[in-house]
Amino acid sequence: MRAVRLSVVTAAATAAALTAVTGCTEKSSAEGGDRVITVTATDDACKVSKKRFPAGHIELDIENRGSKVTEVYILFPDDRVVAERENIGPGTKQKVTAEVKAGSYRIACKPGMKGKGIRQDVTATGGSTAARDPRLDRAVAAYRRYVQQQADDTLPRVEAFAKAVEDGDLAAAKKAYATSRIGWERTEPVAESFGDIDPKVDVRADGLEQGQKWTGWHRLEKALWADGKLGTEEKALAGRLVTDLKDWQERVGKAEITPTSMANGAKELLDEVATGKVTGEEERYSHTDLVDFKANVEGAQKAYELLRPVAQKNDAALAKELDRQFAALNTLLDTHRTKGTDAAQYDFVSYDKVGAGDRKELSDAVNALAEPLSKLAAAVAK
């Protein structure tokens, strides 16, 4: 579950909104000063070095001079996320490469990682005249097909889970719960592209906005494992979950997906795993966290593998390191499978049985992968 709450994106808004340029072979932002926007974040300000810049590949050069951990976003006018970087500690710097088309955007800093943030209106001008790299176009198309397949495969699993809930069958619902989430968890690198689906289906109680009704998987998870009952409300919520995920299934074809959003999304997701999910906060009642972890890694790895041909050409050392770190993390995850389980299955030990030392080992392995993954967007934008 990602931290940002997104507004509904209508078909008209999608058409009118500014879309990201897909895979241009122009010079990287680091090589063109007019494409670098310095963002200085403090506890009460978000200063940008320029409010107009050329469309195409851009780079945010971020410094947090405040006392709080912050987040920085490039947003469409309707609050969908173009690019983001979370968990920027006090006194630290980060760089984010993104792709934008001509039009209006907002750059937002969120001191304390709460609320809508401090925002600056900015404008991307003109348009990119560089030729597109067809390999990146193919990567985006292939990733969209992958995401669509995950959504299509998720629906029958969720329908089976919902039927068990509606039948009041606690045992069957518990058994179906974790596998019903795999497709969603695999697509989380681009979850911000689906509008307001995430807060409807994957929010936890402590992530609710003021006045927001708690719906989705985790509300039902609590009913199953903590409350031990399935009443009228829970049965209605199961039906709503199916409806919301059918909406997600329909939105995949219209979602804004670019090479840099694939790369940045994969990195941000692994950061979330390392700093949040690894604590057990995601599946706090069912303790099926390792199923989520594995699906998250698979989704991030799919994004990387599709971008790898361009990354390999532009930065062979980076591609080699990413290959190594993905392999190491997958090997580590395999050590937490139920003994005798086929490696293709998702039978992992209950996360409450994973001790502090093993949790730290998982966090360290995810961080070791996230560090080189943070360079992937810049590598494919060269």
Side-chain angles (χ1 to χ4, degrees):
M1 188 278 299
R2 310 301 296 277
V4 179
R5 304 290 176 257
L6 304 172
S7 58
V8 176
V9 182
T10 64
T14 301
L18 308 167
T19 57
V21 177
T22 304
C24 294
T25 55
E26 61 199 51
K27 294 290 185 181
S28 73
S29 58
E31 297 173 17
D34 58 344
R35 296 185 179 276
V36 178
I37 302 100
T38 300
V39 180
T40 305
T42 65
D43 294 345
D44 55 10
C46 184
K47 297 180 181 179
V48 297
S49 61
K50 55 176 67 76
K51 294 190 176 182
R52 296 178 68 85
F53 43 81
H57 288 120
I58 62 170
E59 181 181 276
L60 298 187
D61 190 355
I62 304 164
E63 181 177 5
N64 181 6
R65 294 184 181 176
S67 63
K68 302 175 181 177
V69 177
T70 196
E71 302 171 344
V72 174
Y73 297 84
I74 306 175
L75 301 169
F76 288 107
D78 59 9
D79 273 9
R80 285 174 301 141
V81 175
V82 179
E84 64 181 301
R85 185 55 45 87
E86 300 179 355
N87 296 301
I88 306 170
T92 63
K93 298 180 179 182
Q94 294 280 343
K95 293 183 185 295
V96 181
T97 301
E99 304 164 54
V100 294
K101 203 171 183 178
S104 300
Y105 298 85
R106 295 185 180 97
I107 293 176
C109 305
K110 290 188 179 183
M113 302 192 294
K114 294 181 180 180
K116 291 186 173 293
I118 304 163
R119 300 182 173 206
Q120 295 281 2
D121 292 333
V122 297
T123 302
T125 61
S128 174
T129 58
R132 291 172 183 252
D133 187 328
R135 293 172 301 175
L136 293 179
D137 285 336
R138 290 194 293 269
V140 170
Y143 198 67
R144 190 184 300 278
R145 289 193 297 271
Y146 171 77
V147 173
Q148 187 69 65
Q149 187 63 58
Q150 297 309 310
D152 294 346
D153 290 347
T154 294
L155 259 296
R157 292 177 176 179
V158 170
E159 288 169 343
F161 169 62
K163 184 178 186 305
V165 172
E166 291 163 353
D167 290 345
D169 190 336
L170 282 165
K174 285 182 177 181
K175 184 176 181 180
Y177 172 78
T179 54
S180 76
R181 291 175 47 74
I182 290 172
W184 172 263
E185 293 293 322
R186 283 175 175 164
T187 64
E188 280 210 308
V190 290
E192 309 292 9
S193 303
F194 306 130
D196 63 344
I197 298 298
D198 183 271
K200 289 181 178 179
V201 303
D202 202 26
V203 69
R204 300 185 295 272
D206 51 353
L208 294 170
E209 299 286 354
Q210 187 174 2
Q212 180 184 351
K213 180 179 173 58
W214 191 13
T215 60
W217 271 297
H218 295 302
R219 168 64 179 82
L220 293 169
E221 178 202 6
K222 180 179 183 294
L224 289 168
W225 275 273
D227 303 333
K229 63 177 183 179
L230 296 171
T232 302
E233 181 181 2
E234 287 76 22
K235 293 175 182 181
L237 287 171
R240 177 169 175 175
L241 178 63
V242 173
T243 298
D244 287 338
L245 288 169
K246 284 181 177 178
D247 187 11
W248 166 52
Q249 184 184 33
E250 293 297 320
R251 293 191 193 193
V252 171
K254 302 173 184 177
E256 303 290 353
I257 301 174
T258 69
T260 55
S261 74
M262 289 163 59
N264 288 327
K267 193 271 183 197
E268 290 299 320
L269 176 58
L270 292 185
D271 280 350
E272 185 186 354
V273 171
T275 60
K277 291 187 176 186
V278 77
T279 67
E281 67 177 19
E282 177 84 355
E283 305 290 357
R284 63 191 66 175
Y285 308 110
S286 65
H287 305 302
T288 55
D289 304 81
L290 287 168
V291 176
D292 288 2
F293 293 178
K294 180 62 175 177
N296 288 161
V297 173
E298 287 175 338
Q301 187 165 4
K302 183 67 174 182
Y304 162 61
E305 288 174 348
L306 290 171
L307 297 171
R308 191 183 186 284
V310 175
Q312 169 70 24
K313 177 184 177 183
N314 293 340
D315 193 335
L318 176 64
K320 183 177 180 180
E321 180 65 8
L322 284 169
D323 291 343
R324 187 175 74 85
Q325 294 295 349
F326 267 115
L329 179 54
N330 280 309
T331 297
L332 179 59
L333 282 168
D334 285 343
T335 66
H336 295 286
R337 293 184 182 277
T338 303
K339 289 185 178 180
T341 298
D342 185 333
Q345 302 302 311
Y346 277 77
D347 291 334
F348 288 93
V349 299
S350 180
Y351 200 58
D352 58 340
K353 306 300 182 185
V354 178
D358 287 334
R359 292 187 183 199
K360 183 179 186 303
E361 187 178 21
L362 284 166
S363 179
D364 289 346
V366 175
N367 279 324
L369 171 58
E371 193 282 325
L373 198 59
S374 68
K375 303 173 184 177
L376 181 59
V380 300
K382 286 183 179 179

